[in-house]
Amino acid sequence: HTHTQEMSWEPFHARLVGMDGAESSSNIAVHLTPSAGDLAPRGGANNVCDPSKPYSDAVSFDMHLTSQGLGYLAYVKGGGEDELRGDPLYLVVATEQRLW
């Protein structure tokens, strides 16, 4: 969950990376949503079209295992070697102004 502190609309991008910041082989096992979008200015913003749905200055991310990830999990639970154990994923969120 990330909040913006900026006073303007901020496009954001999110991705899962390895420890070195590069794409990881573990990435194929996990799907991240949303991977991009826009954050309203700090404090949110009114939605003129639908006041009951104000624009948010925060975003929550969802991660779930892909079919490849579920297959790998079954393999490991069945006694297979967990070759990805030493390859953790990190969530990186960036806007034009900040990096979390």
Side-chain angles (χ1 to χ4, degrees), residues 47 49-54:
N47 182 341
C49 296
D50 188 349
S52 70
K53 297 179 182 177

Side-chain angles (χ1 to χ4, degrees), residues 3-100:
H3 285 273
T4 185
Q5 297 298 313
E6 304 305 321
M7 297 303 294
S8 61
W9 286 87
E10 288 292 320
F12 75 87
H13 300 276
R15 65 186 191 133
L16 297 168
V17 298
M19 188 178 297
D20 60 359
E23 291 291 322
S24 168
S25 57
S26 300
N27 221 3
I28 194 170
V30 182
H31 180 72
L32 172 70
T33 55
S35 60
D38 293 300
L39 293 170
R42 179 177 57 207
N46 293 329
N47 182 341
V48 177
C49 296
D50 188 349
S52 70
K53 297 179 182 177
Y55 296 111
S56 181
D57 66 347
V59 62
S60 293
F61 297 96
D62 180 47
M63 292 185 285
H64 67 271
L65 291 175
T66 62
S67 58
Q68 293 91 341
L70 290 170
Y72 187 79
L73 180 61
Y75 167 76
V76 171
K77 283 185 172 183
E81 182 181 350
D82 187 357
E83 298 171 7
L84 300 177
R85 183 181 188 108
D87 191 16
L89 290 173
Y90 297 89
L91 173 61
V92 176
V93 181
T95 67
E96 292 177 354
Q97 301 295 323
R98 296 188 163 226
L99 175 67
W100 292 277

